[in-house]
Amino acid sequence: MSGQIRKKLALMLIVILVLTTTGPAFSQENIEEPRWTVSEALTEVLILRPLGLVGTIVGTAVFIGISPLTALASIADREAFKVTGQTLVVAPAEFTFKRPLGHYEKDYYAPPKQ
């Protein structure tokens, strides 16, 4: 690796560490200790969130691709577009962007109950 790539990689890791370790310090309502460690937060930021982003993009592409079939299905069931969109687009997006670090409960990204 060249020196410039190493410097950029080191700077990126420092920024990620600072952002993940100082997040709860800025929160006024969350005074208690976080339920996750720095390594868990890094795993989530470096692996789970990017996978969630990929899932959101793929789900959106699949939703667009099957929208003609969903339109046919919505003749019998009026909620077909809503349920399909919630499952393929909204749920992965909420898992990626809305859910706080360390929370894996389905309340944040589960499709609505029918």
Side-chain angles (χ1 to χ4, degrees), residues 56-77:
T56 303
I57 293 169
V58 169
T60 302
V62 169
F63 178 71
I64 291 170
I66 66 168
S67 63
L69 297 174
T70 308
L72 290 175
S74 66
I75 294 172
D77 181 16

Side-chain angles (χ1 to χ4, degrees), residues 8 42 47 100 108:
K8 286 182 180 181
L42 284 176
I47 296 172
Y108 290 104

Side-chain angles (χ1 to χ4, degrees), residues 19-79:
L19 290 176
T20 57
T21 56
T22 60
F26 295 119
S27 175
Q28 293 293 328
E29 67 256 359
N30 190 8
I31 304 299
E32 63 195 38
E33 289 291 319
R35 296 186 299 166
W36 40 269
T37 63
V38 173
S39 63
E40 290 171 339
L42 284 176
T43 301
E44 181 154 338
V45 170
L46 295 176
I47 296 172
L48 294 178
R49 299 289 172 141
L51 285 176
L53 179 63
V54 169
T56 303
I57 293 169
V58 169
T60 302
V62 169
F63 178 71
I64 291 170
I66 66 168
S67 63
L69 297 174
T70 308
L72 290 175
S74 66
I75 294 172
D77 181 16
R78 301 277 184 207
E79 299 290 318

Side-chain angles (χ1 to χ4, degrees), residues 8 17 32 75 81 85-86 89 95 102:
K8 286 182 180 181
L17 280 172
E32 63 195 38
I75 294 172
F81 267 112
Q86 176 72 27
V89 180
F95 178 84

